[in-house]
Amino acid sequence: MKTDLTSNLHKKQSSNSLALTLLKGRTLIVLALLLLFFSFATPNFLSTNTFLLLAKHVALYGILAIGMTYVIITGGIDLSVGAVVGLAGMIAGGLINNGFTLTMFGVTLYFSVPIVVLFTLMVGAFVGWLNGIIITKFGVAPFIATLGTMYIARGFAMLHSNGATYSNIIGNEALGNTGLSVFGSRVFGMPVGALILVFIAIIAGILLKKTTFGWHVFSIGGNERAAKLSGVKVDKVKILVYIFSGVCAAIVGIITASQLEAAHPASGETWEMNAIAAAVLGGTSMAGGIGTIGGTIIGAFVIGVISDGMVMCGVSEFWQMIIKGVVIILAVIVDQFQRNLQAKIALQARNDSKTEQKEEIKI
């Protein structure tokens, strides 16, 4: 009787464990199915050119999503990243084409590309810092705070050129400000943006999993009050996380402007949704406390494959928006189901252990 009971318990545990394993690997499974589907739906989908185009798009989504992953793990959200992409592109484009005018002295300064990039990253960091300050010091909910800064950043992007586009932002050799186009070029056949994604992903992954800062990020998302009582400087960590998200958005803005050799204030519109979708698809929990950089990158590939695959199949942009929205909702539902299943397995394991102990006492 004890043997039968133990056998049944093991079968239940095995079944639940298999379901949990499949749920944890759901993003890879979905990616494989999407690649299989589009390879049949579109003859040239698995070509080298398509892969390089996909790599360019995934780089943009992936870099944004890495910053978003940190934010979501802490239990927050950052809706301003898409607007920061547009603002960063306008800042970089404006400095390259028009320089920086000192009105008092009637002098216009032109900076080298490294200085332009540094200043643009500082603008992204400032928006992130502002988000962090509003959330931590004034107690504003992340959704509302970043929604507000989204409008502010987009407004400044529009004001920067009165809504116009900065075109042909390649610089002038005589002014010493050429070279921005390198971020949109290829090295060893790979888009520079994709190489930047790999570099950021490695650094972000190490910080998240191997450092005290990463542990603090997880602990805040898991239980902010407990983290604070254990000595974690919650406000400081949150501010740093939002700064990181802003810098990631600024990097994407630079890469986008470089690829297009133009900057438009509307660049990056709705890209925050792609970033959130990639993070959530990759296993980052909207409830906070759970997430991996590797999973987020796979999620970015899923978003990229869906977007590029639907374009190649001639699917309307409006339907693409609907499908992405459905994907986000389903990802959150599956995440919640996984959390419930994990809790059920943990509870079942405790109950099974108690049952086995009682049976041993009876025998």
Side-chain angles (χ1 to χ4, degrees):
M1 184 175 178
K2 178 185 174 183
T3 305
D4 291 340
L5 179 61
T6 303
S7 177
N8 289 333
L9 293 177
H10 285 321
K11 284 180 181 179
K12 281 185 180 180
Q13 291 174 355
S14 178
S15 176
N16 287 335
S17 297
L18 177 60
L20 185 59
T21 301
L22 290 174
L23 283 172
K24 287 181 176 179
R26 63 185 180 274
T27 314
L28 271 175
I29 295 171
V30 170
L31 179 59
L33 291 174
L34 285 172
L35 289 172
L36 185 63
F37 171 77
F38 285 120
S39 65
F40 283 104
T42 308
N44 297 324
F45 186 75
L46 295 180
S47 66
T48 302
N49 288 336
T50 302
F51 172 76
L52 292 174
L53 180 64
L54 177 63
K56 286 175 64 176
H57 294 160
V58 169
L60 303 179
Y61 303 149
I63 294 171
L64 274 183
I66 289 172
M68 189 67 74
T69 298
Y70 270 74
V71 171
I72 295 176
I73 289 175
T74 62
I77 198 75
D78 189 354
L79 300 181
S80 68
V81 292
V84 174
V85 170
L87 177 60
M90 294 303 292
I91 294 293
L95 288 174
I96 292 294
N97 280 7
N98 302 332
F100 183 77
T101 302
L102 298 174
T103 307
M104 289 180 60
F105 303 99
V107 176
T108 299
L109 303 176
Y110 289 90
F111 304 102
S112 64
V113 167
I115 300 299
V116 170
V117 169
L118 179 61
F119 186 76
T120 304
L121 295 181
M122 288 173 62
V123 170
F126 174 76
V127 176
W129 173 83
L130 185 61
N131 283 330
I133 290 295
I134 294 171
I135 291 166
T136 59
K137 304 304 181 184
F138 295 95
V140 179
F143 181 89
I144 300 300
T146 58
L147 180 65
T149 52
M150 176 187 77
Y151 282 111
I152 293 170
R154 188 67 70 187
F156 273 115
M158 294 289 183
L159 285 170
H160 200 274
S161 64
N162 289 321
T165 300
Y166 288 123
S167 58
N168 199 33
I169 52 173
I170 58 176
N172 188 324
E173 289 187 7
L175 299 173
N177 63 352
T178 58
L180 187 68
S181 58
V182 69
F183 295 100
S185 62
R186 295 180 183 178
V187 175
F188 305 117
M190 285 295 294
V192 170
L195 299 178
I196 293 174
L197 169 63
V198 172
F199 175 76
I200 294 175
I202 291 172
I203 299 300
I206 292 172
L207 283 174
L208 195 60
K209 289 293 185 182
K210 304 293 184 181
T211 67
T212 302
F213 176 75
W215 179 80
H216 288 170
V217 170
F218 279 112
S219 62
I220 290 171
N223 189 323
E224 183 173 327
R225 180 174 173 77
K228 190 173 290 186
L229 290 173
S230 65
V232 175
K233 296 179 180 178
V234 173
D235 289 357
K236 181 180 179 181
V237 172
K238 282 188 175 183
I239 291 170
L240 288 174
V241 163
Y242 280 96
I243 288 174
F244 178 57
S245 181
V247 170
C248 285
I251 292 171
V252 172
I254 293 168
I255 295 172
T256 303
S258 176
Q259 290 176 349
L260 299 174
E261 292 188 352
H264 191 277
S267 293
E269 277 190 339
T270 73
W271 284 14
E272 60 274 1
M273 294 298 103
N274 289 333
I276 294 169
V280 174
L281 280 169
T284 303
S285 174
M286 292 297 290
I290 298 174
T292 64
I293 299 301
T296 293
I297 300 303
I298 298 172
F301 268 99
V302 170
I303 296 298
V305 169
I306 290 174
S307 299
D308 289 1
M310 287 192 294
V311 168
M312 294 181 71
C313 288
V315 178
S316 164
E317 183 180 351
F318 308 127
W319 275 109
Q320 291 183 39
M321 293 173 66
I322 292 171
I323 291 170
K324 285 180 183 178
V326 171
V327 166
I328 293 174
I329 293 171
L330 288 176
V332 174
I333 290 173
V334 173
D335 172 67
Q336 187 61 46
F337 182 74
Q338 178 184 329
R339 290 169 69 88
N340 291 339
L341 182 59
Q342 285 177 319
K344 181 182 176 182
I345 289 174
L347 180 61
Q348 186 67 48
R350 286 197 296 269
N351 291 337
D352 292 346
S353 177
K354 290 179 181 178
T355 302
E356 287 181 347
Q357 289 175 0
K358 287 179 180 179
E359 289 299 321
E360 286 178 359
I361 292 171
K362 287 181 181 179
I363 293 173

Short mmCIF file of all heavy atoms in Angstrom, two decimals, residues 26 38 51 92 115 120 131 137 139 142 148 152 159 164 204-205 227 239 251 263 265 270 299 315 322:
data_model
loop_
_atom_site.label_atom_id
_atom_site.label_comp_id
_atom_site.label_asym_id
_atom_site.label_seq_id
_atom_site.Cartn_x
_atom_site.Cartn_y
_atom_site.Cartn_z
N ARG A 26 8.96 27.82 -22.67
CA ARG A 26 7.91 28.19 -23.63
C ARG A 26 8.40 29.16 -24.71
O ARG A 26 7.99 29.06 -25.86
CB ARG A 26 6.72 28.80 -22.89
CG ARG A 26 7.02 30.10 -22.16
CD ARG A 26 5.81 30.57 -21.35
NE ARG A 26 6.05 31.82 -20.63
CZ ARG A 26 6.60 31.90 -19.44
NH1 ARG A 26 6.96 30.79 -18.82
NH2 ARG A 26 6.77 33.07 -18.85
N PHE A 38 7.03 30.57 -40.49
CA PHE A 38 7.38 31.58 -41.48
C PHE A 38 8.30 31.03 -42.57
O PHE A 38 8.34 31.57 -43.68
CB PHE A 38 8.01 32.79 -40.80
CG PHE A 38 7.03 33.67 -40.09
CD1 PHE A 38 7.13 33.89 -38.72
CD2 PHE A 38 5.98 34.27 -40.78
CE1 PHE A 38 6.22 34.69 -38.05
CE2 PHE A 38 5.06 35.07 -40.12
CZ PHE A 38 5.18 35.28 -38.76
N PHE A 51 18.09 37.16 -42.14
CA PHE A 51 18.71 37.01 -40.82
C PHE A 51 19.39 38.30 -40.38
O PHE A 51 19.28 38.71 -39.22
CB PHE A 51 19.72 35.87 -40.83
CG PHE A 51 20.54 35.78 -39.57
CD1 PHE A 51 20.00 35.25 -38.41
CD2 PHE A 51 21.84 36.26 -39.53
CE1 PHE A 51 20.73 35.20 -37.23
CE2 PHE A 51 22.59 36.21 -38.37
CZ PHE A 51 22.04 35.66 -37.22
N ALA A 92 21.36 63.69 -30.94
CA ALA A 92 22.55 63.33 -31.73
C ALA A 92 22.51 63.97 -33.11
O ALA A 92 23.51 64.55 -33.57
CB ALA A 92 22.63 61.80 -31.85
N ILE A 115 31.96 62.62 -28.28
CA ILE A 115 31.36 63.61 -27.39
C ILE A 115 29.85 63.66 -27.61
O ILE A 115 29.07 63.75 -26.65
CB ILE A 115 31.97 65.00 -27.61
CG1 ILE A 115 33.49 64.97 -27.33
CG2 ILE A 115 31.29 66.03 -26.71
CD1 ILE A 115 33.84 64.59 -25.92
N THR A 120 24.52 62.41 -25.55
CA THR A 120 23.23 61.76 -25.80
C THR A 120 22.92 60.73 -24.72
O THR A 120 21.79 60.64 -24.23
CB THR A 120 23.22 61.09 -27.18
OG1 THR A 120 23.55 62.06 -28.19
CG2 THR A 120 21.86 60.50 -27.49
N ASN A 131 12.92 59.74 -13.69
CA ASN A 131 11.93 58.70 -13.39
C ASN A 131 12.14 58.14 -11.98
O ASN A 131 11.20 58.00 -11.20
CB ASN A 131 12.02 57.56 -14.41
CG ASN A 131 11.38 57.89 -15.74
OD1 ASN A 131 10.42 58.66 -15.80
ND2 ASN A 131 11.90 57.31 -16.80
N LYS A 137 11.24 59.34 -4.44
CA LYS A 137 11.19 60.48 -3.51
C LYS A 137 9.80 61.08 -3.37
O LYS A 137 9.48 61.67 -2.33
CB LYS A 137 12.17 61.57 -3.96
CG LYS A 137 13.61 61.11 -4.11
CD LYS A 137 14.15 60.48 -2.83
CE LYS A 137 15.60 60.05 -3.01
NZ LYS A 137 16.12 59.35 -1.80
N GLY A 139 6.93 59.20 -4.31
CA GLY A 139 5.97 58.12 -4.15
C GLY A 139 4.98 57.96 -5.28
O GLY A 139 3.89 57.41 -5.08
N PRO A 142 5.14 53.91 -10.69
CA PRO A 142 5.98 53.86 -11.90
C PRO A 142 5.22 54.08 -13.20
O PRO A 142 5.70 54.75 -14.10
CB PRO A 142 6.60 52.46 -11.83
CG PRO A 142 6.62 52.14 -10.38
CD PRO A 142 5.39 52.76 -9.81
N GLY A 148 4.22 60.17 -17.65
CA GLY A 148 4.45 61.61 -17.70
C GLY A 148 5.75 61.97 -18.40
O GLY A 148 5.79 62.86 -19.27
N ILE A 152 6.84 64.16 -21.81
CA ILE A 152 7.84 65.23 -21.72
C ILE A 152 8.97 65.01 -22.72
O ILE A 152 9.35 65.91 -23.47
CB ILE A 152 8.40 65.33 -20.29
CG1 ILE A 152 7.32 65.79 -19.32
CG2 ILE A 152 9.60 66.28 -20.24
CD1 ILE A 152 7.72 65.70 -17.86
N LEU A 159 10.07 69.67 -30.05
CA LEU A 159 10.51 71.06 -29.94
C LEU A 159 11.92 71.26 -30.50
O LEU A 159 12.25 72.34 -30.99
CB LEU A 159 10.49 71.51 -28.48
CG LEU A 159 9.12 71.81 -27.87
CD1 LEU A 159 9.25 72.01 -26.37
CD2 LEU A 159 8.51 73.05 -28.52
N ALA A 164 10.43 68.73 -37.28
CA ALA A 164 11.09 68.38 -38.55
C ALA A 164 12.11 67.25 -38.34
O ALA A 164 12.49 66.92 -37.21
CB ALA A 164 11.79 69.59 -39.12
N ALA A 204 25.07 43.02 -18.52
CA ALA A 204 23.84 43.07 -17.72
C ALA A 204 23.56 41.73 -17.05
O ALA A 204 23.10 41.67 -15.90
CB ALA A 204 22.66 43.47 -18.61
N GLY A 205 23.85 40.63 -17.77
CA GLY A 205 23.64 39.30 -17.21
C GLY A 205 24.55 39.03 -16.01
O GLY A 205 24.11 38.47 -15.00
N ALA A 227 13.45 43.68 1.83
CA ALA A 227 14.74 44.15 1.32
C ALA A 227 15.22 45.37 2.08
O ALA A 227 16.39 45.48 2.46
CB ALA A 227 14.62 44.47 -0.17
N ILE A 239 16.69 53.97 -8.51
CA ILE A 239 17.16 55.09 -9.35
C ILE A 239 18.19 54.60 -10.35
O ILE A 239 18.14 54.95 -11.54
CB ILE A 239 17.73 56.22 -8.47
CG1 ILE A 239 16.60 56.89 -7.67
CG2 ILE A 239 18.45 57.26 -9.32
CD1 ILE A 239 17.08 57.86 -6.62
N ILE A 251 20.97 54.55 -26.24
CA ILE A 251 21.81 53.76 -27.16
C ILE A 251 21.01 53.35 -28.39
O ILE A 251 21.48 53.44 -29.53
CB ILE A 251 22.36 52.51 -26.44
CG1 ILE A 251 23.37 52.92 -25.37
CG2 ILE A 251 23.02 51.54 -27.45
CD1 ILE A 251 23.82 51.78 -24.47
N ALA A 263 17.24 61.55 -38.24
CA ALA A 263 16.60 61.50 -36.93
C ALA A 263 15.23 62.16 -37.01
O ALA A 263 15.11 63.28 -37.51
CB ALA A 263 17.46 62.22 -35.90
N PRO A 265 11.62 62.99 -34.72
CA PRO A 265 11.14 63.04 -33.32
C PRO A 265 10.15 61.94 -32.96
O PRO A 265 9.96 61.65 -31.77
CB PRO A 265 10.50 64.42 -33.22
CG PRO A 265 10.23 64.85 -34.63
CD PRO A 265 11.32 64.23 -35.44
N THR A 270 5.78 53.56 -29.56
CA THR A 270 5.24 52.24 -29.14
C THR A 270 6.34 51.19 -28.92
O THR A 270 6.02 50.05 -28.63
CB THR A 270 4.20 51.69 -30.14
OG1 THR A 270 4.84 51.24 -31.34
CG2 THR A 270 3.13 52.71 -30.47
N GLY A 299 13.11 36.41 -25.98
CA GLY A 299 11.85 37.12 -26.17
C GLY A 299 11.95 38.18 -27.25
O GLY A 299 11.01 38.37 -28.04
N VAL A 315 1.19 41.21 -43.97
CA VAL A 315 0.16 41.45 -42.96
C VAL A 315 0.10 42.95 -42.65
O VAL A 315 1.13 43.61 -42.51
CB VAL A 315 0.45 40.66 -41.66
CG1 VAL A 315 -0.59 40.97 -40.60
CG2 VAL A 315 0.48 39.17 -41.96
N ILE A 322 -2.41 44.45 -33.24
CA ILE A 322 -3.37 43.59 -32.53
C ILE A 322 -2.69 42.31 -32.05
O ILE A 322 -2.84 41.89 -30.90
CB ILE A 322 -4.57 43.26 -33.44
CG1 ILE A 322 -5.39 44.51 -33.71
CG2 ILE A 322 -5.45 42.16 -32.80
CD1 ILE A 322 -6.46 44.33 -34.76
#
